[in-house]
Amino acid sequence: EFPDAVTTRGTKHLIKLVDSINKKYDPYVLFLTQIKDIEYFKIAKDIDYNYYKNYILAKKAGVQFLAYKCKIDPNEIVIDKKIEIIDE
């Protein structure tokens, strides 16, 4: 889950991304996780409900959200597989 603490900065970024749509941009948010065997990703609305609320608004406005897990070994970190974002 993201965030792990209240993030007013993250909320501000979501609002700016929504505004960028009005300026003809095609905004994306990319979540990368380094947790082994993760199967899905979700927004921690129990930690920061305001961020969650703005995430839903941004998604409805057209901001694209992607989540990927990484493979980690002692020599490198590699983006591995796309994982589902759960909105519940």
Side-chain angles (χ1 to χ4, degrees):
E1 291 185 334
F2 178 86
D4 60 359
V6 173
T7 175
T8 53
R9 181 176 172 212
T11 298
K12 179 181 172 183
H13 288 169
L14 291 177
I15 293 166
K16 288 207 175 268
L17 289 172
V18 170
D19 185 51
S20 77
I21 293 170
N22 298 328
K23 297 175 182 173
K24 308 298 182 205
Y25 288 95
D26 189 19
Y28 282 76
V29 174
L30 174 63
F31 296 107
L32 294 176
T33 180
Q34 298 176 15
I35 301 170
K36 186 179 179 181
D37 299 325
I38 192 168
E39 295 181 20
Y40 61 89
F41 183 88
K42 57 192 271 197
I43 303 301
K45 66 181 173 183
D46 58 324
I47 294 173
D48 190 344
Y49 186 75
N50 193 44
Y51 182 86
Y52 173 77
K53 181 177 69 174
N54 282 283
Y55 157 76
I56 295 296
L57 291 173
K59 189 173 177 183
K60 286 180 181 177
V63 176
Q64 299 294 312
F65 290 85
L66 303 169
Y68 284 82
K69 66 180 181 174
C70 297
K71 265 190 208 177
I72 302 171
D73 70 40
N75 298 313
E76 65 184 355
I77 298 173
V78 177
I79 296 174
D80 185 27
K81 293 182 182 177
K82 186 175 183 180
I83 55 177
E84 182 181 1
I85 300 175
I86 306 292
D87 288 339
E88 48 183 76

XYZ file of all heavy atoms in Angstrom:
735
model
N 0.820 -1.181 0.000
C 0.000 0.000 0.000
C 0.872 1.256 0.000
O 1.994 1.241 0.476
C -0.892 0.031 1.242
C -1.974 -1.006 1.262
C -2.899 -0.847 2.462
O -2.470 -0.298 3.494
O -4.035 -1.255 2.352
N 0.306 2.287 -0.538
C 0.922 3.613 -0.516
C -0.177 4.607 -0.165
O -1.298 4.466 -0.644
C 1.512 3.968 -1.886
C 2.114 5.343 -1.924
C 3.425 5.545 -1.534
C 1.362 6.442 -2.306
C 3.985 6.819 -1.550
C 1.904 7.716 -2.328
C 3.216 7.894 -1.950
N 0.092 5.579 0.609
C 1.340 5.907 1.312
C 1.440 5.187 2.656
O 0.462 4.649 3.150
C 1.217 7.415 1.512
C -0.256 7.654 1.666
C -0.919 6.636 0.774
N 2.639 5.222 3.228
C 2.827 4.627 4.560
C 2.713 5.682 5.655
O 2.845 5.381 6.829
C 4.142 3.870 4.649
C 5.357 4.738 4.404
O 5.189 5.950 4.132
O 6.483 4.216 4.466
N 2.466 6.927 5.253
C 2.229 8.044 6.176
C 1.436 9.100 5.398
O 1.383 9.058 4.166
C 3.547 8.633 6.669
N 0.827 10.027 6.096
C 0.080 11.097 5.427
C 1.035 11.865 4.511
O 2.154 12.200 4.902
C -0.575 12.035 6.467
C -1.199 13.240 5.790
C -1.617 11.268 7.275
N 0.597 12.104 3.286
C 1.446 12.786 2.314
C 0.715 13.952 1.662
O 0.049 13.789 0.639
C 1.997 11.823 1.238
O 2.720 12.593 0.267
C 0.933 10.994 0.558
N 0.825 15.101 2.275
C 0.223 16.296 1.666
C 0.914 16.622 0.350
O 0.280 17.098 -0.595
C 0.284 17.505 2.625
O 1.620 17.695 3.059
C -0.594 17.272 3.836
N 2.201 16.340 0.270
C 2.938 16.566 -0.978
C 2.401 15.658 -2.090
O 2.220 16.080 -3.229
C 4.424 16.312 -0.744
C 5.271 16.540 -1.958
C 6.739 16.360 -1.613
N 7.543 16.397 -2.802
C 8.645 15.731 -2.970
N 9.112 14.962 -2.006
N 9.325 15.822 -4.083
N 2.148 14.394 -1.758
C 1.596 13.468 -2.744
C 0.234 13.918 -3.231
O -0.076 13.837 -4.425
N -0.593 14.394 -2.313
C -1.910 14.902 -2.680
C -1.774 16.108 -3.601
O -2.483 16.224 -4.608
C -2.712 15.267 -1.417
O -2.890 14.083 -0.636
C -4.064 15.854 -1.762
N -0.842 16.992 -3.288
C -0.597 18.168 -4.125
C -0.206 17.738 -5.542
O -0.664 18.317 -6.528
C 0.507 19.016 -3.494
C 0.880 20.249 -4.270
C 1.996 21.005 -3.572
C 2.519 22.139 -4.428
N 3.644 22.830 -3.800
N 0.628 16.701 -5.654
C 1.042 16.214 -6.968
C -0.146 15.676 -7.751
O -0.250 15.910 -8.965
C 2.108 15.141 -6.834
C 3.426 15.680 -6.404
N 4.457 14.868 -6.010
C 3.895 16.939 -6.296
C 5.500 15.609 -5.682
N 5.174 16.873 -5.854
N -1.047 14.950 -7.088
C -2.230 14.438 -7.775
C -3.073 15.576 -8.338
O -3.542 15.510 -9.476
C -3.072 13.578 -6.832
C -2.472 12.243 -6.407
C -3.406 11.547 -5.427
C -2.194 11.357 -7.613
N -3.251 16.607 -7.549
C -4.045 17.769 -7.987
C -3.387 18.435 -9.199
O -4.048 18.808 -10.163
C -4.245 18.752 -6.817
C -5.132 18.097 -5.752
C -4.836 20.071 -7.293
C -5.143 18.799 -4.413
N -2.061 18.553 -9.167
C -1.341 19.158 -10.302
C -1.446 18.288 -11.552
O -1.520 18.804 -12.670
C 0.113 19.396 -9.935
C 0.273 20.545 -8.951
C 1.627 21.172 -9.092
C 1.744 22.379 -8.217
N 1.373 23.612 -8.893
N -1.457 16.968 -11.369
C -1.596 16.081 -12.525
C -2.975 16.229 -13.161
O -3.097 16.220 -14.384
C -1.340 14.626 -12.120
C 0.112 14.297 -11.795
C 0.227 12.895 -11.222
C 0.998 14.453 -13.026
N -4.007 16.369 -12.341
C -5.350 16.615 -12.878
C -5.355 17.928 -13.656
O -5.895 17.997 -14.770
C -6.412 16.621 -11.755
C -7.752 17.108 -12.278
C -6.556 15.230 -11.136
N -4.745 18.950 -13.101
C -4.666 20.243 -13.783
C -3.918 20.125 -15.107
O -4.239 20.814 -16.073
C -3.994 21.267 -12.864
C -3.982 22.651 -13.473
O -5.057 23.119 -13.915
O -2.900 23.276 -13.521
N -2.929 19.242 -15.162
C -2.144 19.101 -16.398
C -2.982 18.552 -17.547
O -2.676 18.799 -18.713
C -0.918 18.210 -16.156
O -1.273 16.842 -16.106
N -4.045 17.827 -17.230
C -4.932 17.317 -18.286
C -5.577 18.480 -19.034
O -5.712 18.435 -20.256
C -5.995 16.373 -17.690
C -5.318 15.099 -17.170
C -7.066 16.030 -18.717
C -6.228 14.208 -16.354
N -5.937 19.520 -18.305
C -6.521 20.717 -18.935
C -5.536 21.424 -19.848
O -5.934 22.201 -20.705
C -7.032 21.687 -17.869
C -8.122 21.083 -17.022
O -8.910 20.263 -17.503
N -8.186 21.464 -15.767
N -4.252 21.146 -19.655
C -3.206 21.748 -20.484
C -2.750 20.785 -21.582
O -1.680 20.948 -22.149
C -2.028 22.163 -19.605
C -2.416 23.229 -18.596
C -1.278 23.538 -17.653
C -1.733 24.577 -16.640
N -0.745 24.802 -15.593
N -3.578 19.746 -21.808
C -3.360 18.776 -22.894
C -2.211 17.794 -22.647
O -1.669 17.218 -23.586
C -3.178 19.476 -24.240
C -4.270 20.459 -24.587
C -5.608 19.787 -24.700
C -6.666 20.804 -25.110
N -7.989 20.438 -24.694
N -1.827 17.589 -21.391
C -0.839 16.563 -21.063
C -1.548 15.241 -20.817
O -2.760 15.199 -20.555
C -0.028 16.961 -19.832
C 0.950 18.075 -20.086
C 0.606 19.399 -19.820
C 2.211 17.811 -20.592
C 1.492 20.433 -20.055
C 3.114 18.838 -20.834
C 2.742 20.144 -20.561
O 3.628 21.161 -20.803
N -0.810 14.162 -20.859
C -1.320 12.815 -20.614
C -0.554 12.250 -19.403
O 0.427 11.523 -19.569
C -1.099 11.959 -21.859
C -1.781 10.617 -21.784
O -2.696 10.453 -20.968
O -1.387 9.722 -22.562
N -0.976 12.600 -18.182
C -0.176 12.278 -16.992
C -0.301 10.825 -16.521
O -1.354 10.205 -16.636
C -0.741 13.232 -15.937
C -2.161 13.433 -16.343
C -2.154 13.392 -17.844
N 0.803 10.330 -15.994
C 0.895 8.988 -15.423
C 1.517 9.064 -14.035
O 2.355 9.928 -13.775
C 1.792 8.090 -16.280
C 1.138 7.567 -17.531
C 0.961 8.383 -18.642
C 0.716 6.253 -17.602
C 0.368 7.904 -19.795
C 0.125 5.766 -18.761
C -0.047 6.590 -19.846
O -0.634 6.114 -20.989
N 1.136 8.110 -13.198
C 1.802 7.883 -11.915
C 2.275 6.439 -11.944
O 1.503 5.523 -12.265
C 0.856 8.109 -10.715
C 1.534 7.718 -9.414
C 0.381 9.551 -10.675
N 3.532 6.232 -11.626
C 4.121 4.895 -11.616
C 4.525 4.538 -10.194
O 5.336 5.234 -9.579
C 5.343 4.851 -12.534
C 6.164 3.565 -12.528
C 5.334 2.385 -13.014
C 7.415 3.742 -13.376
N 3.942 3.480 -9.683
C 4.322 2.945 -8.375
C 5.225 1.742 -8.607
O 4.869 0.819 -9.352
C 3.096 2.491 -7.580
C 2.143 3.595 -7.219
C 0.927 3.721 -7.860
C 2.462 4.506 -6.218
C 0.033 4.730 -7.518
C 1.583 5.524 -5.877
C 0.367 5.631 -6.526
N 6.403 1.749 -8.003
C 7.325 0.610 -8.061
C 7.460 0.032 -6.662
O 7.671 0.776 -5.709
C 8.708 1.039 -8.565
C 8.794 1.518 -9.998
C 10.199 2.006 -10.306
C 8.396 0.409 -10.962
N 7.353 -1.271 -6.559
C 7.491 -1.914 -5.261
C 8.624 -2.933 -5.307
O 8.833 -3.587 -6.330
C 6.181 -2.561 -4.791
O 6.395 -3.163 -3.525
C 5.663 -3.582 -5.771
N 9.323 -3.036 -4.221
C 10.431 -3.982 -4.115
C 10.087 -5.106 -3.146
O 10.964 -5.726 -2.571
C 11.689 -3.250 -3.664
C 12.117 -2.191 -4.653
C 13.304 -1.385 -4.182
O 14.010 -1.751 -3.255
N 13.528 -0.246 -4.817
N 8.806 -5.382 -3.006
C 8.338 -6.442 -2.116
C 8.218 -7.736 -2.917
O 7.469 -7.813 -3.891
C 6.987 -6.069 -1.470
C 7.144 -4.775 -0.682
C 6.453 -7.207 -0.612
C 5.844 -4.180 -0.197
N 8.935 -8.747 -2.496
C 8.931 -10.026 -3.195
C 7.538 -10.658 -3.117
O 6.867 -10.589 -2.095
C 9.968 -10.954 -2.553
C 10.152 -12.249 -3.275
C 11.205 -13.099 -2.606
C 11.338 -14.404 -3.351
N 12.328 -15.280 -2.731
N 7.111 -11.259 -4.212
C 5.848 -12.004 -4.309
C 4.597 -11.157 -4.116
O 3.530 -11.700 -3.820
C 5.834 -13.186 -3.328
C 6.949 -14.181 -3.612
O 7.278 -14.365 -4.805
O 7.485 -14.761 -2.659
N 4.686 -9.865 -4.283
C 3.504 -9.021 -4.188
C 2.582 -9.334 -5.376
O 3.054 -9.584 -6.480
C 3.882 -7.524 -4.140
C 2.684 -6.670 -3.756
C 4.488 -7.066 -5.434
C 3.046 -5.239 -3.407
N 1.288 -9.358 -5.128
C 0.335 -9.701 -6.181
C -0.516 -8.518 -6.623
O -1.039 -8.514 -7.731
C -0.566 -10.838 -5.710
C 0.212 -12.118 -5.473
C -0.690 -13.249 -5.025
O -1.912 -13.166 -5.248
O -0.166 -14.202 -4.442
N -0.695 -7.535 -5.768
C -1.472 -6.361 -6.132
C -1.032 -5.177 -5.280
O -0.281 -5.322 -4.324
C -2.981 -6.604 -5.988
C -3.430 -6.938 -4.597
C -3.787 -5.933 -3.703
C -3.508 -8.249 -4.156
C -4.188 -6.224 -2.416
C -3.913 -8.552 -2.876
C -4.249 -7.540 -2.003
O -4.641 -7.827 -0.727
N -1.520 -4.015 -5.652
C -1.145 -2.760 -5.010
C -2.415 -1.998 -4.685
O -3.390 -2.060 -5.430
C -0.282 -1.946 -5.984
C 0.220 -0.664 -5.435
C 1.411 -0.616 -4.739
C -0.491 0.507 -5.616
C 1.885 0.588 -4.229
C -0.031 1.711 -5.108
C 1.165 1.739 -4.416
N -2.441 -1.291 -3.576
C -3.598 -0.444 -3.279
C -3.182 0.799 -2.522
O -2.098 0.855 -1.950
C -4.701 -1.204 -2.561
C -4.346 -1.871 -1.292
C -5.429 -2.832 -0.818
C -6.439 -2.163 0.034
N -7.274 -3.046 0.823
N -4.049 1.788 -2.579
C -3.826 3.038 -1.866
C -4.290 2.841 -0.427
O -5.378 2.314 -0.183
C -4.600 4.195 -2.532
C -4.202 4.353 -4.006
C -4.406 5.501 -1.763
C -2.728 4.633 -4.254
N -3.479 3.277 0.508
C -3.758 3.088 1.943
C -4.703 4.165 2.446
O -4.298 5.125 3.096
C -2.453 3.078 2.729
N -5.981 3.985 2.146
C -6.957 5.013 2.538
C -7.113 5.099 4.044
O -7.505 6.134 4.566
C -8.298 4.803 1.850
C -9.047 3.574 2.236
C -10.349 3.513 1.439
C -11.073 2.218 1.667
N -12.277 2.121 0.851
N -6.764 4.034 4.766
C -6.824 4.080 6.232
C -5.702 4.934 6.820
O -5.809 5.419 7.933
C -6.779 2.672 6.820
C -5.539 1.885 6.413
O -5.084 2.046 5.261
O -5.038 1.113 7.237
N -4.648 5.146 6.054
C -3.524 5.974 6.509
C -3.697 7.420 6.051
O -3.457 8.353 6.813
C -2.180 5.391 6.009
C -1.951 4.035 6.691
C -1.031 6.355 6.262
C -0.758 3.276 6.172
N -4.106 7.617 4.787
C -4.275 8.977 4.260
C -5.508 9.008 3.360
O -5.413 8.860 2.138
C -3.025 9.407 3.496
C -3.030 10.885 3.128
O -4.103 11.513 3.192
O -1.961 11.403 2.762
N -6.649 9.218 3.980
C -7.912 9.228 3.234
C -7.954 10.368 2.220
O -8.504 10.200 1.133
C -9.119 9.307 4.175
C -10.409 9.163 3.424
C -10.820 7.922 2.957
C -11.196 10.274 3.132
C -11.988 7.783 2.230
C -12.367 10.148 2.402
C -12.758 8.897 1.960
O -13.917 8.773 1.229
N -7.347 11.487 2.546
C -7.333 12.612 1.613
C -6.575 12.253 0.331
O -7.009 12.592 -0.767
C -6.732 13.855 2.279
C -6.977 15.113 1.480
O -8.076 15.337 0.980
N -5.953 15.937 1.351
N -5.456 11.558 0.448
C -4.711 11.115 -0.731
C -5.574 10.140 -1.538
O -5.673 10.249 -2.765
C -3.385 10.455 -0.336
C -2.569 10.039 -1.534
C -1.710 10.932 -2.153
C -2.681 8.755 -2.068
C -0.981 10.559 -3.285
C -1.965 8.381 -3.189
C -1.114 9.283 -3.793
O -0.406 8.916 -4.910
N -6.213 9.198 -0.858
C -7.070 8.230 -1.533
C -8.182 8.939 -2.307
O -8.442 8.621 -3.468
C -7.671 7.253 -0.519
C -8.690 6.319 -1.111
C -8.296 5.224 -1.879
C -10.054 6.541 -0.934
C -9.232 4.372 -2.445
C -10.987 5.693 -1.502
C -10.573 4.611 -2.250
O -11.505 3.774 -2.813
N -8.836 9.881 -1.657
C -9.930 10.631 -2.290
C -9.425 11.332 -3.558
O -10.069 11.302 -4.603
C -10.500 11.638 -1.294
C -11.649 12.465 -1.804
C -12.197 13.377 -0.728
C -11.163 14.434 -0.423
N -11.595 15.469 0.504
N -8.258 11.951 -3.488
C -7.691 12.634 -4.644
C -7.177 11.667 -5.698
O -7.203 11.978 -6.893
C -6.613 13.620 -4.201
C -7.233 14.883 -3.657
O -7.700 15.721 -4.414
N -7.293 15.002 -2.338
N -6.745 10.491 -5.286
C -6.365 9.434 -6.231
C -7.586 9.045 -7.072
O -7.503 8.965 -8.305
C -5.813 8.225 -5.466
C -5.910 6.923 -6.214
C -5.042 6.610 -7.254
C -6.884 5.982 -5.878
C -5.142 5.409 -7.939
C -6.986 4.783 -6.551
C -6.124 4.498 -7.583
O -6.226 3.314 -8.264
N -8.727 8.825 -6.417
C -9.953 8.462 -7.133
C -10.360 9.589 -8.088
O -10.710 9.338 -9.256
C -11.091 8.115 -6.145
C -10.743 6.859 -5.331
C -12.430 7.962 -6.875
C -10.598 5.582 -6.137
N -10.318 10.829 -7.627
C -10.652 11.976 -8.486
C -9.701 12.057 -9.682
O -10.136 12.301 -10.814
C -10.609 13.274 -7.686
C -11.707 13.462 -6.642
C -11.438 14.709 -5.796
C -13.075 13.551 -7.305
N -8.407 11.863 -9.430
C -7.416 11.929 -10.508
C -7.647 10.812 -11.518
O -7.576 11.044 -12.737
C -6.003 11.847 -9.926
N -7.935 9.643 -11.035
C -8.189 8.510 -11.928
C -9.416 8.786 -12.801
O -9.391 8.560 -14.006
C -8.381 7.241 -11.095
C -8.441 5.998 -11.907
C -8.462 4.777 -11.006
C -8.593 3.527 -11.844
N -8.685 2.336 -11.051
N -10.477 9.292 -12.197
C -11.694 9.617 -12.958
C -11.439 10.742 -13.963
O -12.054 10.774 -15.034
C -12.823 10.008 -12.006
C -13.399 8.828 -11.265
C -14.507 9.245 -10.323
C -15.041 8.038 -9.579
N -16.078 8.407 -8.596
N -10.515 11.639 -13.638
C -10.191 12.755 -14.540
C -9.331 12.313 -15.718
O -9.220 13.032 -16.709
C -9.487 13.865 -13.764
N -8.701 11.135 -15.605
C -7.896 10.635 -16.709
C -6.429 10.416 -16.414
O -5.673 10.014 -17.300
N -5.997 10.661 -15.180
C -4.610 10.349 -14.818
C -4.469 8.823 -14.837
O -5.313 8.111 -14.305
C -4.243 10.909 -13.422
C -2.836 10.484 -13.020
C -4.387 12.425 -13.395
N -3.430 8.347 -15.488
C -3.182 6.908 -15.579
C -2.287 6.465 -14.423
O -1.282 7.123 -14.128
C -2.504 6.562 -16.900
C -3.327 6.924 -18.118
C -4.587 6.098 -18.221
O -4.550 4.873 -18.098
N -5.704 6.765 -18.437
N -2.637 5.362 -13.769
C -1.864 4.828 -12.655
C -1.374 3.433 -13.018
O -2.149 2.596 -13.479
C -2.721 4.765 -11.389
C -3.039 6.118 -10.832
C -4.126 6.836 -11.306
C -2.247 6.681 -9.848
C -4.424 8.101 -10.809
C -2.531 7.946 -9.342
C -3.621 8.648 -9.822
N -0.081 3.211 -12.817
C 0.547 1.926 -13.091
C 1.303 1.467 -11.853
O 1.842 2.290 -11.108
C 1.542 2.054 -14.247
C 1.005 2.590 -15.566
C 2.162 2.893 -16.505
C 0.040 1.606 -16.187
N 1.357 0.159 -11.655
C 2.140 -0.405 -10.551
C 2.923 -1.605 -11.076
O 2.378 -2.441 -11.802
C 1.228 -0.823 -9.402
N 4.183 -1.662 -10.713
C 5.062 -2.757 -11.116
C 5.848 -3.241 -9.910
O 6.193 -2.459 -9.029
C 6.059 -2.303 -12.187
C 5.459 -2.152 -13.549
C 4.766 -1.013 -13.911
C 5.583 -3.173 -14.492
C 4.205 -0.877 -15.167
C 5.026 -3.033 -15.758
C 4.341 -1.896 -16.085
O 3.784 -1.751 -17.328
N 6.127 -4.539 -9.910
C 7.025 -5.070 -8.897
C 8.408 -5.227 -9.522
O 8.548 -5.290 -10.749
C 6.523 -6.388 -8.332
C 6.485 -7.552 -9.285
C 5.966 -8.780 -8.555
C 5.927 -9.990 -9.450
N 5.559 -11.191 -8.697
N 9.406 -5.245 -8.677
C 10.789 -5.344 -9.132
C 11.411 -6.662 -8.695
O 11.032 -7.232 -7.683
C 11.615 -4.195 -8.551
S 11.075 -2.575 -9.102
N 12.369 -7.104 -9.474
C 13.226 -8.226 -9.097
C 14.473 -7.612 -8.485
O 15.048 -6.677 -9.043
C 13.650 -9.030 -10.319
C 12.820 -10.210 -10.621
C 13.515 -11.019 -11.709
C 12.489 -11.779 -12.505
N 13.069 -12.512 -13.601
N 14.869 -8.164 -7.372
C 16.037 -7.622 -6.674
C 17.054 -8.725 -6.468
O 16.712 -9.836 -6.035
C 15.629 -7.042 -5.307
C 14.565 -5.959 -5.507
C 16.834 -6.512 -4.550
C 13.949 -5.468 -4.233
N 18.291 -8.438 -6.781
C 19.395 -9.330 -6.407
C 20.558 -8.436 -5.982
O 20.466 -7.212 -6.067
C 19.731 -10.309 -7.539
C 20.389 -9.679 -8.753
O 21.241 -8.787 -8.584
O 20.072 -10.102 -9.871
N 21.632 -9.004 -5.508
C 22.731 -8.172 -4.984
C 23.346 -7.204 -5.993
O 23.971 -6.221 -5.619
C 23.768 -9.200 -4.529
C 22.991 -10.441 -4.253
C 21.856 -10.427 -5.246
N 23.142 -7.454 -7.281
C 23.777 -6.624 -8.304
C 22.863 -5.625 -8.993
O 23.351 -4.698 -9.642
C 24.416 -7.514 -9.376
C 25.498 -8.373 -8.791
O 26.341 -7.893 -8.043
N 25.467 -9.661 -9.091
N 21.551 -5.830 -8.883
C 20.662 -4.939 -9.612
C 19.221 -5.009 -9.116
O 18.826 -5.949 -8.442
C 20.686 -5.249 -11.114
C 20.140 -6.623 -11.463
C 20.270 -6.945 -12.950
O 20.701 -6.081 -13.738
O 19.928 -8.071 -13.316
N 18.472 -4.002 -9.495
C 17.032 -3.969 -9.311
C 16.444 -3.769 -10.703
O 16.816 -2.832 -11.409
C 16.596 -2.823 -8.381
C 17.203 -3.007 -6.995
C 15.071 -2.747 -8.302
C 16.957 -1.835 -6.061
N 15.522 -4.659 -11.092
C 14.951 -4.628 -12.434
C 13.425 -4.595 -12.319
O 12.848 -5.363 -11.546
C 15.387 -5.876 -13.243
C 14.747 -5.893 -14.613
C 16.890 -5.954 -13.337
N 12.802 -3.714 -13.094
C 11.341 -3.718 -13.148
C 10.913 -5.043 -13.767
O 11.386 -5.421 -14.838
C 10.805 -2.529 -13.953
C 11.185 -1.219 -13.250
C 9.295 -2.634 -14.119
C 10.844 0.028 -14.024
N 10.023 -5.759 -13.067
C 9.686 -7.119 -13.461
C 8.307 -7.229 -14.097
O 8.191 -7.381 -15.298
C 9.789 -8.030 -12.235
C 9.576 -9.497 -12.535
O 9.843 -9.916 -13.673
O 9.140 -10.227 -11.632
N 7.258 -7.133 -13.293
C 5.911 -7.386 -13.800
C 4.928 -6.318 -13.340
O 5.009 -5.836 -12.218
C 5.400 -8.736 -13.306
C 6.139 -9.915 -13.866
C 5.523 -11.204 -13.362
C 6.309 -12.385 -13.907
N 5.806 -13.636 -13.388
N 3.987 -6.035 -14.223
C 2.897 -5.135 -13.870
C 1.994 -5.853 -12.859
O 1.745 -7.053 -12.995
C 2.106 -4.761 -15.118
C 1.050 -3.722 -14.887
C 0.386 -3.315 -16.199
C -0.613 -2.221 -15.951
N -1.271 -1.803 -17.189
N 1.540 -5.104 -11.849
C 0.617 -5.670 -10.876
C -0.655 -4.829 -10.852
O -0.651 -3.646 -11.193
C 1.237 -5.789 -9.459
C 1.780 -4.439 -8.971
C 2.319 -6.858 -9.435
C 2.332 -4.458 -7.574
N -1.731 -5.475 -10.471
C -3.033 -4.826 -10.438
C -3.126 -3.829 -9.295
O -2.640 -4.085 -8.202
C -4.122 -5.888 -10.282
C -5.523 -5.332 -10.277
C -6.567 -6.408 -10.087
O -6.236 -7.598 -9.937
O -7.755 -6.039 -10.089
N -3.756 -2.702 -9.570
C -4.062 -1.719 -8.529
C -5.511 -1.934 -8.106
O -6.409 -1.860 -8.938
C -3.843 -0.273 -9.022
C -2.395 -0.063 -9.445
C -4.254 0.716 -7.921
C -2.111 1.292 -10.058
N -5.705 -2.221 -6.830
C -7.033 -2.461 -6.271
C -7.550 -1.133 -5.716
O -6.871 -0.483 -4.922
C -6.959 -3.506 -5.123
C -6.281 -4.786 -5.570
C -8.344 -3.763 -4.553
C -7.028 -5.592 -6.568
N -8.758 -0.739 -6.095
C -9.312 0.555 -5.685
C -10.222 0.508 -4.462
O -10.732 1.534 -4.061
C -10.107 1.183 -6.833
C -9.219 1.686 -7.942
O -8.025 1.931 -7.689
O -9.719 1.830 -9.063
N -10.443 -0.606 -3.911
C -11.430 -0.714 -2.818
C -11.104 0.087 -1.603
O -10.198 0.512 -1.170
C -11.666 -2.153 -2.424
C -10.394 -2.934 -2.208
C -10.655 -4.370 -1.884
O -10.991 -5.125 -2.815
O -10.544 -4.731 -0.727
